[in-house]
Amino acid sequence: MKRSVLVLIVALFAVSGCQTSSQLTAAVSDEEGVSCGEIRQAFQAYERDRQSAQALKELSLMLSPSAGAYAAEGIESAEGYYEQIRISTNLALATRGCDPVR
């Protein structure tokens, strides 16, 4: 039982990054460069992924305290990157003359 819960949590973490990955892949493949709208879409996808991760943490806590602890640990370490990602997004937007994200 514990093993299946951990496998489920790992699978859900892998899926939660799909929105961000697909947005970034689409933006990079554009031959004319990345537009302000595409940068914003990628950042918004990242924010949705963050919300999904929080929901995953709450679900895993209900399923198993140890699984919830693993999920919480992963989410907390990822939270440290949010400010760096926001700054990088704003830098990319500024180089194109666009308004920053908040």
Side-chain angles (χ1 to χ4, degrees), residues 20 23-24 38-48 50 82 85-87 89 101-102:
T20 302
Q23 287 291 330
L24 290 175
E38 290 171 323
I39 294 170
R40 281 196 179 83
Q41 285 177 345
F43 185 75
Q44 290 167 350
Y46 169 72
E47 286 189 321
R48 286 189 299 272
R50 285 180 63 218
Y82 176 76
I85 292 169
R86 190 183 67 76
I87 290 170
T89 300
V101 294
R102 306 247 182 271

PDB file of all heavy atoms in Angstrom, residues 20 23-24 38-48 50 82 85-87 89 101-102:
ATOM      1  N   THR A  20       3.577  23.880 -17.785  1.00  0.00           N
ATOM      2  CA  THR A  20       4.737  24.747 -17.942  1.00  0.00           C
ATOM      3  C   THR A  20       5.611  24.276 -19.089  1.00  0.00           C
ATOM      4  O   THR A  20       6.035  25.076 -19.924  1.00  0.00           O
ATOM      5  CB  THR A  20       5.569  24.782 -16.633  1.00  0.00           C
ATOM      6  OG1 THR A  20       4.728  25.241 -15.581  1.00  0.00           O
ATOM      7  CG2 THR A  20       6.751  25.706 -16.764  1.00  0.00           C
ATOM      8  N   GLN A  23       4.044  25.021 -22.543  1.00  0.00           N
ATOM      9  CA  GLN A  23       4.074  26.448 -22.851  1.00  0.00           C
ATOM     10  C   GLN A  23       5.477  26.877 -23.256  1.00  0.00           C
ATOM     11  O   GLN A  23       5.656  27.626 -24.218  1.00  0.00           O
ATOM     12  CB  GLN A  23       3.611  27.279 -21.648  1.00  0.00           C
ATOM     13  CG  GLN A  23       2.135  27.200 -21.383  1.00  0.00           C
ATOM     14  CD  GLN A  23       1.324  27.893 -22.455  1.00  0.00           C
ATOM     15  OE1 GLN A  23       1.768  28.850 -23.062  1.00  0.00           O
ATOM     16  NE2 GLN A  23       0.125  27.404 -22.689  1.00  0.00           N
ATOM     17  N   LEU A  24       6.481  26.433 -22.521  1.00  0.00           N
ATOM     18  CA  LEU A  24       7.854  26.825 -22.833  1.00  0.00           C
ATOM     19  C   LEU A  24       8.312  26.235 -24.155  1.00  0.00           C
ATOM     20  O   LEU A  24       8.980  26.917 -24.943  1.00  0.00           O
ATOM     21  CB  LEU A  24       8.798  26.404 -21.702  1.00  0.00           C
ATOM     22  CG  LEU A  24       8.633  27.181 -20.406  1.00  0.00           C
ATOM     23  CD1 LEU A  24       9.542  26.593 -19.325  1.00  0.00           C
ATOM     24  CD2 LEU A  24       8.919  28.656 -20.593  1.00  0.00           C
ATOM     25  N   GLU A  38       3.396  35.114 -24.976  1.00  0.00           N
ATOM     26  CA  GLU A  38       3.897  33.755 -24.751  1.00  0.00           C
ATOM     27  C   GLU A  38       4.665  33.661 -23.431  1.00  0.00           C
ATOM     28  O   GLU A  38       4.550  32.667 -22.714  1.00  0.00           O
ATOM     29  CB  GLU A  38       4.792  33.327 -25.909  1.00  0.00           C
ATOM     30  CG  GLU A  38       4.017  33.105 -27.195  1.00  0.00           C
ATOM     31  CD  GLU A  38       4.913  32.904 -28.397  1.00  0.00           C
ATOM     32  OE1 GLU A  38       5.976  33.548 -28.484  1.00  0.00           O
ATOM     33  OE2 GLU A  38       4.537  32.098 -29.267  1.00  0.00           O
ATOM     34  N   ILE A  39       5.421  34.705 -23.113  1.00  0.00           N
ATOM     35  CA  ILE A  39       6.149  34.709 -21.841  1.00  0.00           C
ATOM     36  C   ILE A  39       5.154  34.703 -20.688  1.00  0.00           C
ATOM     37  O   ILE A  39       5.292  33.948 -19.724  1.00  0.00           O
ATOM     38  CB  ILE A  39       7.092  35.927 -21.750  1.00  0.00           C
ATOM     39  CG1 ILE A  39       8.206  35.811 -22.787  1.00  0.00           C
ATOM     40  CG2 ILE A  39       7.679  36.050 -20.346  1.00  0.00           C
ATOM     41  CD1 ILE A  39       9.033  37.065 -22.945  1.00  0.00           C
ATOM     42  N   ARG A  40       4.129  35.537 -20.800  1.00  0.00           N
ATOM     43  CA  ARG A  40       3.097  35.589 -19.751  1.00  0.00           C
ATOM     44  C   ARG A  40       2.362  34.255 -19.637  1.00  0.00           C
ATOM     45  O   ARG A  40       2.060  33.802 -18.535  1.00  0.00           O
ATOM     46  CB  ARG A  40       2.111  36.712 -20.042  1.00  0.00           C
ATOM     47  CG  ARG A  40       2.625  38.054 -19.655  1.00  0.00           C
ATOM     48  CD  ARG A  40       1.499  39.082 -19.577  1.00  0.00           C
ATOM     49  NE  ARG A  40       2.078  40.336 -19.169  1.00  0.00           N
ATOM     50  CZ  ARG A  40       2.660  41.197 -19.994  1.00  0.00           C
ATOM     51  NH1 ARG A  40       2.745  40.938 -21.272  1.00  0.00           N
ATOM     52  NH2 ARG A  40       3.183  42.315 -19.538  1.00  0.00           N
ATOM     53  N   GLN A  41       2.061  33.629 -20.765  1.00  0.00           N
ATOM     54  CA  GLN A  41       1.378  32.329 -20.737  1.00  0.00           C
ATOM     55  C   GLN A  41       2.228  31.281 -20.026  1.00  0.00           C
ATOM     56  O   GLN A  41       1.715  30.479 -19.248  1.00  0.00           O
ATOM     57  CB  GLN A  41       1.052  31.860 -22.151  1.00  0.00           C
ATOM     58  CG  GLN A  41      -0.096  32.590 -22.785  1.00  0.00           C
ATOM     59  CD  GLN A  41      -0.335  32.143 -24.221  1.00  0.00           C
ATOM     60  OE1 GLN A  41       0.501  31.488 -24.836  1.00  0.00           O
ATOM     61  NE2 GLN A  41      -1.479  32.504 -24.760  1.00  0.00           N
ATOM     62  N   ALA A  42       3.525  31.286 -20.294  1.00  0.00           N
ATOM     63  CA  ALA A  42       4.419  30.322 -19.641  1.00  0.00           C
ATOM     64  C   ALA A  42       4.452  30.571 -18.139  1.00  0.00           C
ATOM     65  O   ALA A  42       4.405  29.623 -17.340  1.00  0.00           O
ATOM     66  CB  ALA A  42       5.816  30.415 -20.233  1.00  0.00           C
ATOM     67  N   PHE A  43       4.523  31.840 -17.740  1.00  0.00           N
ATOM     68  CA  PHE A  43       4.551  32.161 -16.310  1.00  0.00           C
ATOM     69  C   PHE A  43       3.222  31.776 -15.652  1.00  0.00           C
ATOM     70  O   PHE A  43       3.210  31.222 -14.553  1.00  0.00           O
ATOM     71  CB  PHE A  43       4.854  33.647 -16.091  1.00  0.00           C
ATOM     72  CG  PHE A  43       5.006  34.007 -14.645  1.00  0.00           C
ATOM     73  CD1 PHE A  43       6.153  33.651 -13.950  1.00  0.00           C
ATOM     74  CD2 PHE A  43       4.008  34.694 -13.965  1.00  0.00           C
ATOM     75  CE1 PHE A  43       6.296  33.971 -12.607  1.00  0.00           C
ATOM     76  CE2 PHE A  43       4.141  35.021 -12.632  1.00  0.00           C
ATOM     77  CZ  PHE A  43       5.294  34.656 -11.954  1.00  0.00           C
ATOM     78  N   GLN A  44       2.113  32.037 -16.320  1.00  0.00           N
ATOM     79  CA  GLN A  44       0.805  31.666 -15.778  1.00  0.00           C
ATOM     80  C   GLN A  44       0.669  30.154 -15.660  1.00  0.00           C
ATOM     81  O   GLN A  44       0.094  29.647 -14.691  1.00  0.00           O
ATOM     82  CB  GLN A  44      -0.314  32.254 -16.641  1.00  0.00           C
ATOM     83  CG  GLN A  44      -0.413  33.755 -16.516  1.00  0.00           C
ATOM     84  CD  GLN A  44      -1.291  34.383 -17.592  1.00  0.00           C
ATOM     85  OE1 GLN A  44      -1.696  33.723 -18.550  1.00  0.00           O
ATOM     86  NE2 GLN A  44      -1.566  35.665 -17.435  1.00  0.00           N
ATOM     87  N   ALA A  45       1.213  29.424 -16.622  1.00  0.00           N
ATOM     88  CA  ALA A  45       1.205  27.954 -16.541  1.00  0.00           C
ATOM     89  C   ALA A  45       2.014  27.494 -15.340  1.00  0.00           C
ATOM     90  O   ALA A  45       1.611  26.566 -14.626  1.00  0.00           O
ATOM     91  CB  ALA A  45       1.757  27.350 -17.827  1.00  0.00           C
ATOM     92  N   TYR A  46       3.146  28.153 -15.097  1.00  0.00           N
ATOM     93  CA  TYR A  46       3.960  27.819 -13.923  1.00  0.00           C
ATOM     94  C   TYR A  46       3.161  28.067 -12.644  1.00  0.00           C
ATOM     95  O   TYR A  46       3.176  27.247 -11.727  1.00  0.00           O
ATOM     96  CB  TYR A  46       5.247  28.653 -13.927  1.00  0.00           C
ATOM     97  CG  TYR A  46       6.013  28.558 -12.642  1.00  0.00           C
ATOM     98  CD1 TYR A  46       6.700  27.400 -12.308  1.00  0.00           C
ATOM     99  CD2 TYR A  46       6.028  29.613 -11.738  1.00  0.00           C
ATOM    100  CE1 TYR A  46       7.389  27.296 -11.112  1.00  0.00           C
ATOM    101  CE2 TYR A  46       6.709  29.514 -10.547  1.00  0.00           C
ATOM    102  CZ  TYR A  46       7.387  28.359 -10.237  1.00  0.00           C
ATOM    103  OH  TYR A  46       8.051  28.260  -9.053  1.00  0.00           O
ATOM    104  N   GLU A  47       2.449  29.189 -12.579  1.00  0.00           N
ATOM    105  CA  GLU A  47       1.655  29.480 -11.384  1.00  0.00           C
ATOM    106  C   GLU A  47       0.538  28.449 -11.195  1.00  0.00           C
ATOM    107  O   GLU A  47       0.257  28.045 -10.068  1.00  0.00           O
ATOM    108  CB  GLU A  47       1.084  30.887 -11.454  1.00  0.00           C
ATOM    109  CG  GLU A  47       2.158  31.934 -11.209  1.00  0.00           C
ATOM    110  CD  GLU A  47       1.603  33.333 -11.059  1.00  0.00           C
ATOM    111  OE1 GLU A  47       0.658  33.696 -11.789  1.00  0.00           O
ATOM    112  OE2 GLU A  47       2.127  34.056 -10.199  1.00  0.00           O
ATOM    113  N   ARG A  48      -0.093  27.995 -12.295  1.00  0.00           N
ATOM    114  CA  ARG A  48      -1.111  26.950 -12.179  1.00  0.00           C
ATOM    115  C   ARG A  48      -0.485  25.649 -11.681  1.00  0.00           C
ATOM    116  O   ARG A  48      -1.087  24.934 -10.881  1.00  0.00           O
ATOM    117  CB  ARG A  48      -1.820  26.736 -13.514  1.00  0.00           C
ATOM    118  CG  ARG A  48      -2.802  27.847 -13.864  1.00  0.00           C
ATOM    119  CD  ARG A  48      -3.641  27.489 -15.070  1.00  0.00           C
ATOM    120  NE  ARG A  48      -2.867  27.259 -16.278  1.00  0.00           N
ATOM    121  CZ  ARG A  48      -2.505  28.204 -17.155  1.00  0.00           C
ATOM    122  NH1 ARG A  48      -2.840  29.463 -16.942  1.00  0.00           N
ATOM    123  NH2 ARG A  48      -1.817  27.888 -18.225  1.00  0.00           N
ATOM    124  N   ARG A  50       2.040  25.425  -9.717  1.00  0.00           N
ATOM    125  CA  ARG A  50       2.287  25.608  -8.284  1.00  0.00           C
ATOM    126  C   ARG A  50       1.016  25.319  -7.492  1.00  0.00           C
ATOM    127  O   ARG A  50       1.063  24.683  -6.442  1.00  0.00           O
ATOM    128  CB  ARG A  50       2.742  27.037  -7.977  1.00  0.00           C
ATOM    129  CG  ARG A  50       4.163  27.327  -8.366  1.00  0.00           C
ATOM    130  CD  ARG A  50       4.561  28.751  -8.036  1.00  0.00           C
ATOM    131  NE  ARG A  50       4.518  28.980  -6.609  1.00  0.00           N
ATOM    132  CZ  ARG A  50       4.093  30.114  -6.047  1.00  0.00           C
ATOM    133  NH1 ARG A  50       3.667  31.113  -6.771  1.00  0.00           N
ATOM    134  NH2 ARG A  50       4.092  30.249  -4.737  1.00  0.00           N
ATOM    135  N   TYR A  82      10.513  30.243  -6.927  1.00  0.00           N
ATOM    136  CA  TYR A  82       9.467  31.109  -7.466  1.00  0.00           C
ATOM    137  C   TYR A  82       9.967  32.531  -7.717  1.00  0.00           C
ATOM    138  O   TYR A  82       9.745  33.091  -8.792  1.00  0.00           O
ATOM    139  CB  TYR A  82       8.253  31.141  -6.540  1.00  0.00           C
ATOM    140  CG  TYR A  82       7.201  32.103  -7.020  1.00  0.00           C
ATOM    141  CD1 TYR A  82       6.390  31.767  -8.094  1.00  0.00           C
ATOM    142  CD2 TYR A  82       7.026  33.342  -6.432  1.00  0.00           C
ATOM    143  CE1 TYR A  82       5.429  32.642  -8.569  1.00  0.00           C
ATOM    144  CE2 TYR A  82       6.072  34.231  -6.899  1.00  0.00           C
ATOM    145  CZ  TYR A  82       5.278  33.873  -7.963  1.00  0.00           C
ATOM    146  OH  TYR A  82       4.338  34.745  -8.438  1.00  0.00           O
ATOM    147  N   ILE A  85      12.203  32.735 -10.718  1.00  0.00           N
ATOM    148  CA  ILE A  85      11.452  32.587 -11.964  1.00  0.00           C
ATOM    149  C   ILE A  85      10.696  33.869 -12.288  1.00  0.00           C
ATOM    150  O   ILE A  85      10.657  34.313 -13.432  1.00  0.00           O
ATOM    151  CB  ILE A  85      10.505  31.367 -11.878  1.00  0.00           C
ATOM    152  CG1 ILE A  85      11.339  30.087 -11.849  1.00  0.00           C
ATOM    153  CG2 ILE A  85       9.502  31.343 -13.020  1.00  0.00           C
ATOM    154  CD1 ILE A  85      10.575  28.846 -11.502  1.00  0.00           C
ATOM    155  N   ARG A  86      10.106  34.481 -11.265  1.00  0.00           N
ATOM    156  CA  ARG A  86       9.380  35.733 -11.480  1.00  0.00           C
ATOM    157  C   ARG A  86      10.331  36.820 -11.967  1.00  0.00           C
ATOM    158  O   ARG A  86      10.028  37.551 -12.918  1.00  0.00           O
ATOM    159  CB  ARG A  86       8.683  36.179 -10.193  1.00  0.00           C
ATOM    160  CG  ARG A  86       7.709  37.342 -10.402  1.00  0.00           C
ATOM    161  CD  ARG A  86       7.095  37.793  -9.089  1.00  0.00           C
ATOM    162  NE  ARG A  86       8.075  38.382  -8.211  1.00  0.00           N
ATOM    163  CZ  ARG A  86       8.578  39.608  -8.343  1.00  0.00           C
ATOM    164  NH1 ARG A  86       8.204  40.374  -9.338  1.00  0.00           N
ATOM    165  NH2 ARG A  86       9.464  40.064  -7.489  1.00  0.00           N
ATOM    166  N   ILE A  87      11.509  36.933 -11.375  1.00  0.00           N
ATOM    167  CA  ILE A  87      12.498  37.930 -11.792  1.00  0.00           C
ATOM    168  C   ILE A  87      12.955  37.660 -13.222  1.00  0.00           C
ATOM    169  O   ILE A  87      13.059  38.588 -14.037  1.00  0.00           O
ATOM    170  CB  ILE A  87      13.691  37.953 -10.808  1.00  0.00           C
ATOM    171  CG1 ILE A  87      13.239  38.553  -9.469  1.00  0.00           C
ATOM    172  CG2 ILE A  87      14.864  38.722 -11.386  1.00  0.00           C
ATOM    173  CD1 ILE A  87      14.251  38.399  -8.358  1.00  0.00           C
ATOM    174  N   THR A  89      11.311  36.109 -15.550  1.00  0.00           N
ATOM    175  CA  THR A  89      10.183  36.426 -16.430  1.00  0.00           C
ATOM    176  C   THR A  89      10.105  37.923 -16.674  1.00  0.00           C
ATOM    177  O   THR A  89       9.950  38.380 -17.807  1.00  0.00           O
ATOM    178  CB  THR A  89       8.861  35.916 -15.817  1.00  0.00           C
ATOM    179  OG1 THR A  89       8.943  34.499 -15.658  1.00  0.00           O
ATOM    180  CG2 THR A  89       7.670  36.267 -16.684  1.00  0.00           C
ATOM    181  N   VAL A 101       5.195  41.029 -14.808  1.00  0.00           N
ATOM    182  CA  VAL A 101       4.177  40.282 -14.075  1.00  0.00           C
ATOM    183  C   VAL A 101       4.296  40.653 -12.601  1.00  0.00           C
ATOM    184  O   VAL A 101       5.358  41.078 -12.150  1.00  0.00           O
ATOM    185  CB  VAL A 101       4.331  38.750 -14.262  1.00  0.00           C
ATOM    186  CG1 VAL A 101       4.065  38.347 -15.684  1.00  0.00           C
ATOM    187  CG2 VAL A 101       5.666  38.262 -13.789  1.00  0.00           C
ATOM    188  N   ARG A 102       3.244  40.490 -11.873  1.00  0.00           N
ATOM    189  CA  ARG A 102       3.263  40.849 -10.444  1.00  0.00           C
ATOM    190  C   ARG A 102       3.317  39.629  -9.584  1.00  0.00           C
ATOM    191  O   ARG A 102       2.963  38.600  -9.792  1.00  0.00           O
ATOM    192  CB  ARG A 102       2.014  41.656 -10.091  1.00  0.00           C
ATOM    193  CG  ARG A 102       1.859  42.860 -10.983  1.00  0.00           C
ATOM    194  CD  ARG A 102       2.045  44.144 -10.207  1.00  0.00           C
ATOM    195  NE  ARG A 102       1.844  45.313 -11.047  1.00  0.00           N
ATOM    196  CZ  ARG A 102       2.810  45.894 -11.748  1.00  0.00           C
ATOM    197  NH1 ARG A 102       4.008  45.417 -11.750  1.00  0.00           N
ATOM    198  NH2 ARG A 102       2.565  46.970 -12.440  1.00  0.00           N
TER     199      ARG A 102
END
